[in-house]
Amino acid sequence: MDTFVVSRLTKPAIVGSSKDIRQAVEVCRKAARENSPVLFQGEIGVGKLLLASYLHYESSRLGKPFLLVDCDSEEGIREFLSSENFESKLKFLKGGTLYFREIAGLTLSEQARLQRFCLLAEAEDVRVLLGSSQNVHLLMYEKAIDAELYHYATQREIYIAPLRQRRDDIMDLTGYFIKRLNQRLRKGVQGLTPQAEEVFLSYPWPGNVEELRQSLTRAMLLTAESFIGRRHLAESTGQAGDFLQNPDVMPLDRMEELLLRSALSRYGTTLEGKKRAARALNISLATLYNKVKRYNVSK
């Protein structure tokens, strides 16, 4: 999906008790009282869009449009930044919030156009939020990001730590997703067995919260029991199969493969999807193809 608009946003559920997520939420609340741009940084799947929508909900702009623009979609961002419809777009968004996801996926010339559009949006009372799964400070050091966009975006930053650094949140999220999935799938799962819980707490979750949600979904589709066991996880979580067999150790090359599979699972295996996955992993397209061949992930 390139864009979506929400005019009546329900309060986003920010689940977790870790210090990292509580700090991110607190910064969101403070930023909600301002109008300056905010940059959300963090790995794929950590919840940048969720925090951005939470900021909109907590602000005085609630009830006005919240628009997501995915900068990883070449056609979508090119059309959005076209000068033909600037006025109509900004008129529609007036008083609302505009969130540009994955700004580092743009070319330098597109980044420059984006920065100019953001200034026009602010002049029309549109709050600008931006997101990146790549470290923009490193990109600036490597001269891989437009300098003006960098300085504009980093006026205020909110970093969302990866799930492997937020162990306290894993079981909170697990309980939350099980409850929601029980309603959606008409199941009666009560939780994880102690063995499965041990695996969940030990697994590094390279795909972060989104991978956890997908793993639980597959496991709950497979089980007719009250508790999800390690067997259900092994059957449902193909990416983590090696880890589930030996949860104490994971070779570095296996971790690299998991990250690669996670990115391709999100963006797809088309040429466009692979380009987006390469940008998200901060590697060249040629390197991605070499790793796809090495790990045989396309089969």
Side-chain angles (χ1 to χ4, degrees), residues 63-82:
K64 298 293 185 177
F66 176 88
L67 175 66
L68 163 71
V69 180
D70 193 343
C71 296
D72 258 337
S73 171
E74 293 182 5
E75 292 185 5
I77 190 63
R78 191 179 298 119
E79 189 280 330
F80 190 86
L81 293 178
S82 65

mmCIF file of all heavy atoms in Angstrom, residues 63-82:
data_model
loop_
_atom_site.group_PDB
_atom_site.id
_atom_site.type_symbol
_atom_site.label_atom_id
_atom_site.label_comp_id
_atom_site.label_asym_id
_atom_site.label_seq_id
_atom_site.Cartn_x
_atom_site.Cartn_y
_atom_site.Cartn_z
ATOM 1 N N GLY A 63 -8.815 13.963 14.717
ATOM 2 C CA GLY A 63 -10.053 14.294 14.014
ATOM 3 C C GLY A 63 -9.789 14.837 12.626
ATOM 4 O O GLY A 63 -10.680 14.858 11.775
ATOM 5 N N LYS A 64 -8.547 15.276 12.406
ATOM 6 C CA LYS A 64 -8.112 15.707 11.081
ATOM 7 C C LYS A 64 -7.400 14.538 10.398
ATOM 8 O O LYS A 64 -7.044 13.549 11.035
ATOM 9 C CB LYS A 64 -7.177 16.912 11.198
ATOM 10 C CG LYS A 64 -7.820 18.143 11.817
ATOM 11 C CD LYS A 64 -8.898 18.723 10.918
ATOM 12 C CE LYS A 64 -9.451 20.019 11.504
ATOM 13 N NZ LYS A 64 -10.463 20.638 10.612
ATOM 14 N N PRO A 65 -7.173 14.620 9.084
ATOM 15 C CA PRO A 65 -6.569 13.481 8.371
ATOM 16 C C PRO A 65 -5.173 13.119 8.872
ATOM 17 O O PRO A 65 -4.383 13.989 9.236
ATOM 18 C CB PRO A 65 -6.511 13.969 6.918
ATOM 19 C CG PRO A 65 -7.553 15.024 6.823
ATOM 20 C CD PRO A 65 -7.564 15.699 8.163
ATOM 21 N N PHE A 66 -4.917 11.822 8.891
ATOM 22 C CA PHE A 66 -3.574 11.283 9.114
ATOM 23 C C PHE A 66 -3.230 10.509 7.852
ATOM 24 O O PHE A 66 -3.873 9.509 7.533
ATOM 25 C CB PHE A 66 -3.555 10.357 10.329
ATOM 26 C CG PHE A 66 -2.218 9.674 10.563
ATOM 27 C CD1 PHE A 66 -1.241 10.285 11.329
ATOM 28 C CD2 PHE A 66 -1.948 8.428 10.011
ATOM 29 C CE1 PHE A 66 -0.011 9.665 11.548
ATOM 30 C CE2 PHE A 66 -0.726 7.797 10.216
ATOM 31 C CZ PHE A 66 0.245 8.423 10.988
ATOM 32 N N LEU A 67 -2.240 10.978 7.121
ATOM 33 C CA LEU A 67 -1.907 10.393 5.821
ATOM 34 C C LEU A 67 -0.529 9.751 5.857
ATOM 35 O O LEU A 67 0.453 10.390 6.231
ATOM 36 C CB LEU A 67 -1.941 11.462 4.728
ATOM 37 C CG LEU A 67 -1.492 11.010 3.325
ATOM 38 C CD1 LEU A 67 -2.468 9.995 2.751
ATOM 39 C CD2 LEU A 67 -1.372 12.203 2.386
ATOM 40 N N LEU A 68 -0.472 8.479 5.479
ATOM 41 C CA LEU A 68 0.795 7.765 5.329
ATOM 42 C C LEU A 68 1.207 7.774 3.868
ATOM 43 O O LEU A 68 0.408 7.455 2.987
ATOM 44 C CB LEU A 68 0.650 6.314 5.795
ATOM 45 C CG LEU A 68 1.754 5.346 5.338
ATOM 46 C CD1 LEU A 68 3.056 5.636 6.060
ATOM 47 C CD2 LEU A 68 1.333 3.902 5.540
ATOM 48 N N VAL A 69 2.455 8.128 3.617
ATOM 49 C CA VAL A 69 3.034 8.033 2.276
ATOM 50 C C VAL A 69 4.269 7.147 2.374
ATOM 51 O O VAL A 69 5.195 7.449 3.122
ATOM 52 C CB VAL A 69 3.424 9.416 1.715
ATOM 53 C CG1 VAL A 69 4.026 9.269 0.318
ATOM 54 C CG2 VAL A 69 2.215 10.339 1.678
ATOM 55 N N ASP A 70 4.267 6.045 1.630
ATOM 56 C CA ASP A 70 5.380 5.098 1.662
ATOM 57 C C ASP A 70 6.421 5.517 0.631
ATOM 58 O O ASP A 70 6.212 5.372 -0.570
ATOM 59 C CB ASP A 70 4.869 3.688 1.368
ATOM 60 C CG ASP A 70 5.905 2.622 1.687
ATOM 61 O OD1 ASP A 70 7.093 2.979 1.816
ATOM 62 O OD2 ASP A 70 5.531 1.447 1.808
ATOM 63 N N CYS A 71 7.543 6.029 1.101
ATOM 64 C CA CYS A 71 8.586 6.510 0.192
ATOM 65 C C CYS A 71 9.316 5.376 -0.511
ATOM 66 O O CYS A 71 10.082 5.619 -1.451
ATOM 67 C CB CYS A 71 9.590 7.372 0.949
ATOM 68 S SG CYS A 71 8.875 8.879 1.635
ATOM 69 N N ASP A 72 9.120 4.145 -0.068
ATOM 70 C CA ASP A 72 9.746 3.007 -0.731
ATOM 71 C C ASP A 72 9.020 2.621 -2.009
ATOM 72 O O ASP A 72 9.498 1.793 -2.772
ATOM 73 C CB ASP A 72 9.795 1.799 0.208
ATOM 74 C CG ASP A 72 11.182 1.608 0.796
ATOM 75 O OD1 ASP A 72 12.142 2.094 0.179
ATOM 76 O OD2 ASP A 72 11.298 0.983 1.852
ATOM 77 N N SER A 73 7.843 3.180 -2.227
ATOM 78 C CA SER A 73 7.109 2.922 -3.459
ATOM 79 C C SER A 73 7.457 4.015 -4.463
ATOM 80 O O SER A 73 7.043 5.165 -4.313
ATOM 81 C CB SER A 73 5.601 2.915 -3.191
ATOM 82 O OG SER A 73 4.883 2.880 -4.398
ATOM 83 N N GLU A 74 8.231 3.661 -5.479
ATOM 84 C CA GLU A 74 8.731 4.667 -6.412
ATOM 85 C C GLU A 74 7.604 5.412 -7.117
ATOM 86 O O GLU A 74 7.620 6.639 -7.223
ATOM 87 C CB GLU A 74 9.655 4.007 -7.441
ATOM 88 C CG GLU A 74 10.950 3.470 -6.833
ATOM 89 C CD GLU A 74 11.868 2.859 -7.868
ATOM 90 O OE1 GLU A 74 11.537 2.937 -9.071
ATOM 91 O OE2 GLU A 74 12.912 2.306 -7.480
ATOM 92 N N GLU A 75 6.608 4.680 -7.601
ATOM 93 C CA GLU A 75 5.510 5.331 -8.310
ATOM 94 C C GLU A 75 4.679 6.194 -7.373
ATOM 95 O O GLU A 75 4.285 7.308 -7.716
ATOM 96 C CB GLU A 75 4.623 4.277 -8.985
ATOM 97 C CG GLU A 75 5.297 3.552 -10.131
ATOM 98 C CD GLU A 75 4.346 2.603 -10.836
ATOM 99 O OE1 GLU A 75 3.146 2.593 -10.478
ATOM 100 O OE2 GLU A 75 4.794 1.887 -11.737
ATOM 101 N N GLY A 76 4.421 5.675 -6.161
ATOM 102 C CA GLY A 76 3.586 6.407 -5.216
ATOM 103 C C GLY A 76 4.198 7.722 -4.794
ATOM 104 O O GLY A 76 3.537 8.760 -4.809
ATOM 105 N N ILE A 77 5.476 7.716 -4.435
ATOM 106 C CA ILE A 77 6.108 8.946 -3.962
ATOM 107 C C ILE A 77 6.320 9.915 -5.114
ATOM 108 O O ILE A 77 6.207 11.134 -4.948
ATOM 109 C CB ILE A 77 7.445 8.648 -3.240
ATOM 110 C CG1 ILE A 77 7.964 9.909 -2.539
ATOM 111 C CG2 ILE A 77 8.478 8.078 -4.191
ATOM 112 C CD1 ILE A 77 7.070 10.433 -1.455
ATOM 113 N N ARG A 78 6.591 9.393 -6.304
ATOM 114 C CA ARG A 78 6.781 10.273 -7.458
ATOM 115 C C ARG A 78 5.487 11.021 -7.772
ATOM 116 O O ARG A 78 5.494 12.219 -8.044
ATOM 117 C CB ARG A 78 7.228 9.453 -8.671
ATOM 118 C CG ARG A 78 7.698 10.307 -9.845
ATOM 119 C CD ARG A 78 8.158 9.441 -11.002
ATOM 120 N NE ARG A 78 9.299 8.615 -10.640
ATOM 121 C CZ ARG A 78 9.287 7.287 -10.660
ATOM 122 N NH1 ARG A 78 8.200 6.635 -11.010
ATOM 123 N NH2 ARG A 78 10.369 6.605 -10.330
ATOM 124 N N GLU A 79 4.363 10.301 -7.698
ATOM 125 C CA GLU A 79 3.070 10.933 -7.959
ATOM 126 C C GLU A 79 2.728 11.925 -6.860
ATOM 127 O O GLU A 79 2.233 13.021 -7.122
ATOM 128 C CB GLU A 79 1.981 9.860 -8.065
ATOM 129 C CG GLU A 79 0.620 10.373 -8.538
ATOM 130 C CD GLU A 79 -0.197 11.033 -7.447
ATOM 131 O OE1 GLU A 79 -0.040 10.635 -6.266
ATOM 132 O OE2 GLU A 79 -0.973 11.959 -7.752
ATOM 133 N N PHE A 80 3.032 11.556 -5.623
ATOM 134 C CA PHE A 80 2.671 12.421 -4.505
ATOM 135 C C PHE A 80 3.446 13.728 -4.533
ATOM 136 O O PHE A 80 2.914 14.788 -4.199
ATOM 137 C CB PHE A 80 2.922 11.705 -3.179
ATOM 138 C CG PHE A 80 2.358 12.441 -1.996
ATOM 139 C CD1 PHE A 80 1.035 12.262 -1.627
ATOM 140 C CD2 PHE A 80 3.137 13.326 -1.270
ATOM 141 C CE1 PHE A 80 0.498 12.957 -0.548
ATOM 142 C CE2 PHE A 80 2.612 14.023 -0.197
ATOM 143 C CZ PHE A 80 1.290 13.832 0.163
ATOM 144 N N LEU A 81 4.707 13.662 -4.926
ATOM 145 C CA LEU A 81 5.539 14.861 -4.931
ATOM 146 C C LEU A 81 5.428 15.662 -6.222
ATOM 147 O O LEU A 81 6.102 16.678 -6.376
ATOM 148 C CB LEU A 81 7.005 14.482 -4.698
ATOM 149 C CG LEU A 81 7.343 13.910 -3.317
ATOM 150 C CD1 LEU A 81 8.815 13.537 -3.244
ATOM 151 C CD2 LEU A 81 6.985 14.896 -2.217
ATOM 152 N N SER A 82 4.590 15.204 -7.147
ATOM 153 C CA SER A 82 4.422 15.950 -8.390
ATOM 154 C C SER A 82 3.822 17.316 -8.080
ATOM 155 O O SER A 82 2.950 17.458 -7.223
ATOM 156 C CB SER A 82 3.512 15.186 -9.359
ATOM 157 O OG SER A 82 2.210 15.075 -8.830
#
